[in-house]
């Protein structure tokens, strides 16, 4: 293994700093000047730009590091964790993107409110904030793993560096800036993954030596996972895409409903090759370095490059961190502002924008409290998707099964399903049943039981939003 000297480390750090300064300058140039630009980019972004952001959001630092970490243990079948996003984007584009765009809402809670009313809106918002905060905990740990490998600092220090840089970066620009700067981040990410794969295959002598000497399951479609786990990944990821705040916020920045749909279909195509590359990196790391911790399955290759290439890859990982943390934190801030701050304080547009930036700063640092308590990154990632799946089930039942129109049933389903899914995850999936299936079944079961107990619930619809809600939202933004 090559050990970076002081000069090598200085070169890598300099490349990272230059990249941060350059993209930060671009972010300032493209910064949001109104709340509408901060939240939905003025509804003027091209479909390709949104597609790149969608792809980068679901293949951020957590998925990049986490997929390779899982492949180190179970084989290239870990790629399903990202291929599942491709399937989810495809389904979302075919069945939901246009409907959400035309609703005029840019938060999932606002969309649900049109069916179930204000109380359900606040519950959805709380569930989504809870889930997305956990998402960013995983993002910080993943990013810190890469940074600590190169800079020779411990994981908590690297996580703090990640928080400071990325939070300052996103809190100023808003969605308008994030959309366009993400093009550069994504280009760096793809370049970095390409370099990693090239280095890994150069060290292994290609795929054939690995296939001939490693256990067979490392190169099968299901590896050491089993169909149940892969099925849970697909269900959970697709469900998360249907309800995740930053997905809805991103497509709300499109020029039209058709562009919103196209962006999700392009994102679906972009995910597949990256998924396979990340799985291959984890398997290569297992072949070459079987005794390392799986968390370092991807970063370990940085130590086997010259400092310039290592610098490029490090920049690509930093770029991935920026996309992940920025979009998730922006989504959390949007929910807090729109669902809690604005209704309470009724601020002027200028004050709302200023408050949004301050709230964004707080949101960016809260995950640091939990960084040291994170278990397997990929397991955490899919737990957060399970939480978001509960919202999807309630929303889809309201849209496609109008009989389930009770606000009381929806609220009970959201609360009980969130608690049940969290407990099931903390108990490490008893009886071999993945928490994803609990998230899928629990809200539907609660809503069915509520409807059977209260077959006619005129009060259940009392909080339903007025038909004008969607039109009002469109006029506001």
């Amino acid at each position: 293994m090559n050990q970076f000297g002081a000069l090598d480390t200085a070169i890598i750090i300099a490349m990272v700093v230059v990249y941060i300064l350059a993209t930060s300058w671009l972010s300032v140039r493209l910064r949001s000047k109104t709340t509408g630009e901060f939240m939905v980019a003025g509804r003027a972004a091209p479909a390709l730009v949104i597609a790149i952001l969608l792809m980068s959001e679901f293949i951020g630092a957590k998925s990049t590091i986490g997929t390779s970490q899982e492949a180190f243990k179970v084989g290239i079948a870990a790629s399903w964790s990202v291929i599942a996003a491709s399937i989810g984007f495809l389904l979302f584009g075919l069945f939901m993107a246009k409907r959400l765009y035309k609703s005029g809402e840019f938060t999932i809670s606002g969309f649900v409110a049109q069916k179930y009313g204000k109380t359900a809106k606040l519950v959805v918002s709380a569930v989504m904030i809870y889930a997305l905060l956990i998402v960013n905990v995983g993002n910080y740990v993943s990013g810190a793993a890469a940074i600590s490998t190169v800079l020779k600092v411990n994981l908590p220090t690297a996580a703090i560096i990640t928080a400071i840089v990325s939070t300052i970066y996103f809190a100023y620009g808003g969605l308008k800036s994030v959309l366009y700067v993400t093009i550069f981040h994504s280009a760096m990410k793809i370049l970095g993954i390409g370099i990693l794969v090239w280095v890994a295959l150069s060290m292994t002598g290609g795929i054939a030596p690995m296939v001939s000497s490693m256990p067979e399951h490392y190169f099968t479609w299901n590896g050491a996972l089993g169909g149940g786990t892969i099925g849970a990944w697909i269900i959970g990821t697709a469900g998360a895409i249907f309800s995740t705040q930053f997905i809805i916020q991103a497509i709300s920045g499109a020029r039209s409903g058709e562009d919103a749909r196209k962006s999700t279909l392009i994102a679906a195509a972009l995910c597949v090759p990256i998924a396979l590359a990340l799985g291959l990196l984890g398997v290569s790391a297992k072949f070459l370095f079987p005794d390392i911790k799986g968390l370092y399955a991807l970063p370990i290759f940085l130590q086997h490059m010259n400092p310039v290439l290592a610098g490029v890859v490090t920049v690509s990982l930093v770029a991935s961190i920026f996309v992940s943390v920025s979009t998730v934190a922006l989504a959390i801030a949007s929910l807090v502002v729109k669902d809690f701050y604005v209704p309470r304080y009724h601020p002027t547009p200028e004050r709302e924008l200023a408050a949004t930036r301050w709230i964004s700063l707080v949101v960016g640092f809260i995950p640091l409290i939990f960084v040291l308590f994170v278990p397997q990154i990929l397991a955490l990632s899919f737990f957060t998707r399970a939480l978001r799946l509960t919202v999807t089930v309630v929303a889809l039942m309201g849209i496609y099964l109008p009989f389930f129109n009770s606000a009381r049933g929806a609220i009970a389903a959201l609360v009980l399903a969130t608690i049940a899914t969290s407990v099931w995850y903390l108990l490490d999936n008893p009886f071999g049943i993945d928490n994803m299936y609990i998230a899928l079944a629990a809200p539907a079961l609660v809503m069915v039981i509520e409807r059977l107990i209260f077959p006619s619930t005129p009060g259940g619809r009392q909080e339903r939003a007025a038909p004008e809600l969607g039109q009002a939202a469109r006029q506001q933004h």
Side-chain angles (χ1 to χ4, degrees), residues 166 168 289 331 333 338:
S166 59
I168 293 174
F289 316 105
K338 188 170 188 294

Side-chain angles (χ1 to χ4, degrees), residues 23 25 50 89 137 143 156 173-174 185 228 235 255 297 305 310 367 379 381 423 455-456:
T23 52
W25 172 83
I50 295 175
F89 280 129
V137 172
H185 291 335
I235 292 170
R255 295 169 176 170
M305 304 177 188
S381 174
V423 170
S456 59

Side-chain angles (χ1 to χ4, degrees), residues 64-79:
T64 301
I65 302 291
T67 301
S68 295
Q69 178 188 17
E70 190 72 5
F72 184 88
K73 180 175 66 174
V74 305
I76 201 167
S79 299

Side-chain angles (χ1 to χ4, degrees), residues 32-43 175 353 476-477:
S32 301
K33 298 177 181 178
T34 66
T35 303
E37 289 183 343
F38 195 99
M39 297 296 189
V40 294
R43 296 189 181 272
L175 184 61
L353 181 59
Q476 181 179 358
H477 300 287

Side-chain angles (χ1 to χ4, degrees), residues 138-210:
N139 285 337
Y140 282 7
V141 173
S142 302
I147 292 173
S148 66
T149 300
V150 175
L151 302 187
K152 302 297 196 311
V153 296
N154 59 38
L155 204 64
T157 301
I160 292 171
I161 294 171
T162 302
I164 292 173
V165 174
S166 59
T167 301
I168 293 174
Y169 178 90
F170 86 86
Y172 192 69
L175 184 61
K176 177 187 174 184
S177 164
V178 167
L179 277 171
Y180 289 98
V181 176
T182 293
I183 295 175
F184 292 91
H185 291 335
S186 298
M188 289 303 303
K189 178 193 301 185
I190 293 170
L191 177 60
I193 292 173
I195 292 172
L196 283 165
V197 171
W198 173 67
V199 169
L201 292 181
S202 297
M203 294 174 67
T204 63
I207 296 177
M210 294 189 286

Side-chain angles (χ1 to χ4, degrees), residues 53-66:
L53 178 62
L54 293 176
M55 178 274 292
S56 291
E57 284 175 335
F58 257 82
I59 313 178
K62 179 163 49 59
S63 293
T64 301
I65 302 291

Side-chain angles (χ1 to χ4, degrees), residues 439-453:
L440 178 66
L445 183 62
V446 171
M447 292 182 74
V448 168
I449 292 174
E450 190 274 343
R451 176 52 65 186
L452 292 174
I453 295 175

Side-chain angles (χ1 to χ4, degrees), residues 181-262:
V181 176
T182 293
I183 295 175
F184 292 91
H185 291 335
S186 298
M188 289 303 303
K189 178 193 301 185
I190 293 170
L191 177 60
I193 292 173
I195 292 172
L196 283 165
V197 171
W198 173 67
V199 169
L201 292 181
S202 297
M203 294 174 67
T204 63
I207 296 177
M210 294 189 286
V211 173
S212 62
S213 61
M214 297 181 74
E216 182 180 353
H217 73 265
Y218 272 88
F219 292 94
T220 60
W221 72 271
N222 60 347
L225 289 172
T229 298
I230 293 173
W233 284 359
I234 294 173
I235 292 170
T237 302
I241 286 172
F242 270 64
S243 64
T244 296
Q245 169 58 30
F246 56 72
I247 297 294
I248 294 170
Q249 194 163 355
I251 68 166
S252 295
R255 295 169 176 170
S256 66
E258 181 60 25
D259 275 2
R261 184 186 69 84
K262 286 180 181 177

